[in-house]
Amino acid sequence: MEFTTASVAQRLDALFDAGSQSPLPAGSGLHLARATVGARQVLAAATDPAKDKGVLGSAECADLCRIVRLARTTHTPLVLLIDSAGARLDAGLAIQGALRALMTELLDASLAGLPMIALLGRNVFGGASMLAFAAAQRCYAPDTVLAMSGPRVLESAGGGSLAAVRAAIGGAARCRHGGGERLVDDALPAYAAALREWLQALAGGPLPDTLDEERRMLALRLGAAAPAAAAAAARFALGPGPGGLRCSGQTSMGAADALEFATLADQLGPPLDLLIDCAGHSLHMGDERLILSQYLVHLARTLRRRVHLGQEVRLRIGGATSGGIYIATAGAASSVDIAPGGSVRTLPQASLSSILSRPAAAISNAGAEFSHYVELGVADSVSALS
């Protein structure tokens, strides 16, 4: 049976030793379990694409936070089965706070060396794709599609025909980049074998910090793609202060921007003071061909590593920001402030209009009560109130 068409129960049964699976309580549509693979204990979390396309709402994010914390405190490898259309777009500010909290947990687990593997189903979009890149390895079927934006959004943004877009973001194309990407047959036994091999290769103890090597690899990938890759669009300026860095221009952040942001941030002394005035993540196919999700998570890991070193990373949001750039920077920061003129949206309006039949009913957060930003965890303070 194909992994991508199997039910969640069939996927889990195929992956684990017979009779070893013990379900864990969940407050959402996720399937959480403790099990063994070759007598080695693992924890697992699986989205269910049969339930509302596996979207991540606040309850799903809370369950994921809980199992990530459990895996980290018990030093147990974590298996993520991800088949999801991404964040619940009609959940308003609440989902932004939930995704921020989830990204923080994932970054902390990754930087602590927690072994994580992502076994990918048919669709892995938006926040779900960033979840996948918190793991050290991802397994794709040939027909898996992974991107920050869904195929129809990318098609509408000028990415080419739907078939061409799907081919560009499919499993075979993703795995040509190497690194932690692995292409497997779309069969339950093939995924089970990939999981066993990954576990057998673990040396024991925390995984090493590979952030600097990843930056070198991402820079080489970007250089090899020129001029097909989207040119950097965001504007960066240093200061005020020794650790000040501003990203401005109300542009969309692409792969080149995220890599430049990470590189500049790593060069500054503490504390790191970031001001973001950036509309959101790019819809350019040149960025998606490079796996934009990986560049955004690399930026997030770079910023969060400063926090792990005991340094403050203070983020101020000075304009309307959204999507992957909000999740990456807010999830990594030690504190987030909404400055005058700042706001957070689920996605840029152009993306929402491509996805939702009634975009006016979608979350537009621009008119949200600022006190809700703190209440829902989107920010820690709102200087726009003063």
Side-chain angles (χ1 to χ4, degrees):
M1 174 179 285
E2 292 182 342
F3 182 88
T4 57
T5 59
S7 68
V8 173
Q10 290 170 323
R11 294 176 185 182
L12 292 170
D13 286 344
L15 292 173
F16 305 133
D17 297 341
S20 73
Q21 192 179 156
S22 175
L24 298 174
S28 69
L30 289 184
H31 293 244
L32 308 178
R34 191 190 306 273
T36 62
V37 178
R40 179 159 188 177
Q41 183 120 156
V42 299
L43 289 165
T47 63
D48 189 349
K51 295 181 179 179
D52 203 11
K53 299 182 181 179
V55 295
L56 300 175
S58 297
E60 285 77 13
C61 290
D63 277 340
L64 284 166
C65 283
R66 187 161 55 85
I67 201 164
V68 171
R69 284 194 296 268
L70 178 61
R72 187 177 171 190
T73 56
T74 59
H75 308 288
T76 306
L78 180 59
V79 183
L80 300 169
L81 286 76
I82 307 174
D83 197 331
S84 170
R88 185 177 295 282
L89 296 181
D90 59 357
L93 276 175
I95 189 58
Q96 300 307 301
L99 285 169
R100 177 194 172 194
L102 174 57
M103 181 53 60
T104 301
E105 288 288 349
L106 288 165
L107 293 172
D108 287 344
S110 173
L111 290 166
L114 175 68
M116 292 186 282
I117 185 172
L119 305 178
L120 308 180
R122 181 77 71 184
N123 300 309
V124 187
F125 301 135
S129 73
M130 297 181 75
L131 168 61
F133 277 94
Q137 185 171 115
R138 287 151 297 283
C139 293
Y140 302 71
D143 288 336
T144 298
V145 282
L146 176 149
M148 278 304 305
S149 304
R152 294 197 181 278
V153 173
L154 295 170
E155 178 191 27
S156 298
S161 69
L162 188 60
V165 168
R166 293 185 69 86
I169 63 174
R174 291 329 199 185
C175 292
R176 281 197 291 269
H177 290 300
E181 322 314 306
R182 178 175 177 183
L183 189 67
V184 298
D185 292 337
D186 189 359
L188 291 172
Y191 272 78
L195 175 58
R196 286 195 303 272
E197 291 168 12
W198 176 75
L199 284 168
Q200 290 166 0
L202 294 178
L207 296 180
D209 180 2
T210 59
L211 189 60
D212 296 328
E213 173 59 24
E214 181 181 64
R215 184 169 309 154
R216 187 189 68 82
M217 180 193 73
L218 293 178
L220 289 173
R221 183 189 302 173
L222 188 63
R235 296 196 299 269
F236 297 97
L238 300 179
L245 179 59
R246 175 174 186 147
C247 173
S248 63
Q250 273 302 295
T251 57
S252 295
M253 183 169 289
D257 301 305
L259 193 62
E260 183 180 2
F261 197 166
T263 303
L264 288 171
D266 237 9
Q267 295 170 352
L268 296 175
L272 193 57
D273 286 304
L274 308 175
L275 178 61
I276 301 293
D277 179 11
C278 186
H281 59 262
S282 169
L283 304 182
H284 194 286
M285 274 306 300
D287 292 308
E288 282 296 359
R289 287 189 180 92
L290 293 166
I291 318 185
L292 178 58
S293 310
Q294 186 173 17
Y295 284 80
L296 291 172
V297 175
H298 176 82
L299 168 62
R301 289 179 65 211
T302 298
L303 299 176
R304 193 65 184 177
R305 184 167 67 174
R306 301 288 291 266
V307 179
H308 273 237
L309 293 173
Q311 302 170 11
E312 284 190 277
V313 176
R314 301 185 294 228
L315 173 67
R316 296 195 81 203
I317 297 173
T321 194
S322 65
I325 185 57
Y326 167 76
I327 297 169
T329 55
S334 47
S335 65
V336 178
D337 177 67
I338 304 291
S343 65
V344 176
R345 299 168 181 259
T346 307
L347 288 173
Q349 190 61 47
S351 296
L352 287 172
S353 299
S354 298
I355 298 170
L356 302 172
S357 58
R358 292 190 300 166
I363 184 61
S364 172
N365 297 344
E369 292 290 336
F370 278 120
S371 61
H372 293 165
Y373 279 81
V374 176
E375 176 186 334
L376 297 172
V378 178
D380 302 299
S381 60
V382 184
S383 60
L385 287 173
S386 59

